[in-house]
């Protein structure tokens, strides 16, 4: 429609954790789990969105915000190589590293970044020795989308320091989030950015009411010189702000895609003061995020958003709805077969049932 609006389809993944092979969604129905198509179904969806957008004169961005590969046989066995091969094949625009991307050590994280045909963005991931952002990441990006300049800031949770083994992050520091965002927001605006886009490996709280209550009560606790309450959005218990708290603290960010907490929001959480649109999916390869951003062509500002379907912004990758893409199926197959072979190897026998407890 000629309504003066540019429509940008934002597609994203967070907390993929190596779930690129097809698998059964036992979390939905343990008795009869529906099959999920993994990366090949995601690829089918991404290609469809790109084709439809191109026909309609609309734009598409595809991004990932961390914890890309650790957590499945195929991800662990290949130390993430299979996942980055898929990301390269389908054409991601950028990725932000997450804490679990260091689970095989900093050298592996760097190798995966160098394997990527797209930039890794992390403005607060620095070498302790120099204080500079690691040379395999960039602090920011300036994307040109149909004449609109989108300034991207990447952030990894500083909780990584508590959540990683010291030897895995040796020589690295993870700087506080708010000052890093403010510094690079101002730089990007000075370079002519119309929109500030935060890709962040830190997430929305599990309970939106509770998450917001903490912000509302924050001034009182700060006045008493205390840290802002317990942060239930974090696994680390490290006192790192969740994405709601952060976007309430830092003005001037137009949209944020988060991860880390594995908490899906079908509609964006919008900060009532700074009006930042915040998005996240449940992760683990079960879905892909998709929102249509409405940008006023004259002012080059985001003026609204549209859901991608009648339930909202999270698209579940049911295999029967999104028939797996053949090219990606073939790409993943050898990695998958090798990982399964390793998993089938008998390494010992248990004389008693070994339960999780």
């Amino acid at each position: 429609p000629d309504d003066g609006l540019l429509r940008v389809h934002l597609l994203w993944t967070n907390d993929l954790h190596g779930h690129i092979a097809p698998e059964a969604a036992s979390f939905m129905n343990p008795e009869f789990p529906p099959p999920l198509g993994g990366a090949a179904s995601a690829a089918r969806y991404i290609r469809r969105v790109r084709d439809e957008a191109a026909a309609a004169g609309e734009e598409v961005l595809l991004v990932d915000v961390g914890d890309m590969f650790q957590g499945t046989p195929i991800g662990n066995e290949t130390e993430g190589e299979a996942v980055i091969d898929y990301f390269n094949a389908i054409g991601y625009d950028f990725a932000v590293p997450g804490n679990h991307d260091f689970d095989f050590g900093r050298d592996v994280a760097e190798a995966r970044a160098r394997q990527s045909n797209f930039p890794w963005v992390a403005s607060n991931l620095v070498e302790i020795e120099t204080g500079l952002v690691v040379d395999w990441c960039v602090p920011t990006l300036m994307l040109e989308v149909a004449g609109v300049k989108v300034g991207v800031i990447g952030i990894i949770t500083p909780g990584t320091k508590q959540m990683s083994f010291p030897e895995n992050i040796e020589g690295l520091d993870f700087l506080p989030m708010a000052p890093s965002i403010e510094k690079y927001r101002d730089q990007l605006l000075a370079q002519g950015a119309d929109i500030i886009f935060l890709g962040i490996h830190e997430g929305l709280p599990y309970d939106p009411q509770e998450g917001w209550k903490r912000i509302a009560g924050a001034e009182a606790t700060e006045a008493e010189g205390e840290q802002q309450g317990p942060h239930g959005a974090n696994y680390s218990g490290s006192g790192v702000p969740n994405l709601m708290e952060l976007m309430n603290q830092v003005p001037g960010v137009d949209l944020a895609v988060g991860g880390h907490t594995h908490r899906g929001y079908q509609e964006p959480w919008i900060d009532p003061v700074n009006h930042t649109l915040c998005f996240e999916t449940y992760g683990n390869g079960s879905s892909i995020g998709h929102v249509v951003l409405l940008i006023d062509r004259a002012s080059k500002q985001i003026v609204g958003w549209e859901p991608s379907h009648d339930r909202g912004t999270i698209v579940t990758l049911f295999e029967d709805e999104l028939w797996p893409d053949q090219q990606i199926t073939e790409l993943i197959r050898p990695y998958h077969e090798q990982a399964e072979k390793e998993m089938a190897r008998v390494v010992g026998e248990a004389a008693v049932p070994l339960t999780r407890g």
Side-chain angles (χ1 to χ4, degrees), residues 161-180:
K161 284 194 274 200
Q162 284 86 359
M163 291 179 278
S164 291
F165 290 117
E167 61 270 23
N168 288 353
I169 53 169
E170 203 174 332
L172 296 176
D173 200 6
F174 302 81
L175 303 178
M177 299 185 288
S180 301

Side-chain angles (χ1 to χ4, degrees), residues 267-281:
E267 293 190 353
W269 180 80
I270 305 174
D271 183 85
V273 178
N274 295 320
H275 311 297
T276 309
L277 298 167
C278 301
F279 301 92
E280 188 176 351
T281 78

Side-chain angles (χ1 to χ4, degrees), residues 32-279:
F32 301 102
L36 298 175
S41 284
R44 171 78 61 188
Y45 187 78
I46 292 161
R47 290 194 164 126
R48 191 169 81 195
V49 171
R50 282 180 176 151
D51 289 347
E52 289 171 0
E58 297 168 357
E59 299 290 328
V60 181
L61 286 175
L62 173 61
V63 310
D64 183 87
V65 293
D67 285 3
M68 303 172 217
F69 51 83
Q70 171 276 343
T72 60
I74 193 172
N76 294 359
E77 194 65 33
T78 66
E79 293 189 331
E81 211 175 298
V83 173
I84 300 300
D85 262 4
Y86 156 59
F87 280 7
N88 284 340
I90 200 63
Y92 271 70
D93 290 296
F94 69 82
V96 176
N99 55 295
H100 283 292
D101 295 319
F102 292 90
D103 284 4
F104 299 99
R106 64 170 290 178
D107 291 351
V108 169
E110 178 174 350
R112 293 297 74 81
R114 296 199 187 281
Q115 183 197 341
S116 302
N117 296 341
F118 48 86
W120 283 30
V121 195
S123 66
N124 66 329
L125 173 57
V126 300
E127 299 280 2
I128 289 172
E129 208 173 297
T130 61
L132 300 174
V133 171
V134 295
D135 67 1
W136 42 275
C137 288
V138 293
T140 62
L141 278 181
M142 188 74 87
L143 301 175
E144 186 92 23
V145 183
V148 176
K149 284 187 165 180
V150 180
V152 177
I153 303 169
I155 290 281
I156 178 171
T157 177
T160 305
K161 284 194 274 200
Q162 284 86 359
M163 291 179 278
S164 291
F165 290 117
E167 61 270 23
N168 288 353
I169 53 169
E170 203 174 332
L172 296 176
D173 200 6
F174 302 81
L175 303 178
M177 299 185 288
S180 301
I181 297 167
E182 287 163 348
K183 172 185 167 181
Y184 288 105
R185 171 202 64 198
D186 294 349
Q187 276 188 25
L188 287 164
L189 290 171
Q191 290 162 21
D194 300 304
I195 287 168
I196 300 294
F197 177 175
L198 175 66
I200 180 167
H201 193 74
E202 186 51 71
L204 293 162
Y206 207 80
D207 178 340
Q209 299 318 109
E210 283 302 308
W212 179 246
K213 265 186 211 158
R214 269 199 296 280
I215 299 172
E219 284 172 29
T221 55
E222 276 190 318
E224 293 155 23
E226 291 175 20
Q227 281 269 306
Q228 292 185 20
H231 300 287
N234 293 84
Y235 301 135
S236 61
S238 58
V240 176
N242 68 50
L243 185 52
M244 277 187 187
E245 293 167 309
L246 190 62
M247 290 300 89
N248 192 248
Q249 272 172 23
V250 181
V253 177
D254 296 290
L255 75 144
V257 170
H260 187 54
T261 52
H262 295 232
R263 172 61 163 95
Y265 278 58
Q266 281 287 11
E267 293 190 353
W269 180 80
I270 305 174
D271 183 85
V273 178
N274 295 320
H275 311 297
T276 309
L277 298 167
C278 301
F279 301 92

Side-chain angles (χ1 to χ4, degrees), residues 269-318:
W269 180 80
I270 305 174
D271 183 85
V273 178
N274 295 320
H275 311 297
T276 309
L277 298 167
C278 301
F279 301 92
E280 188 176 351
T281 78
Y282 292 101
N284 289 335
S286 61
S287 58
I288 187 166
H290 178 193
V291 66
V292 185
L293 301 171
L294 306 176
I295 299 172
D296 178 62
R297 286 180 188 273
S299 66
K300 299 184 176 180
Q301 296 299 300
I302 296 175
V303 292
W305 65 280
E306 289 172 350
S308 50
H309 57 96
D310 55 8
R311 289 190 303 280
T313 64
I314 301 175
V315 179
T316 306
L317 300 173
F318 292 119

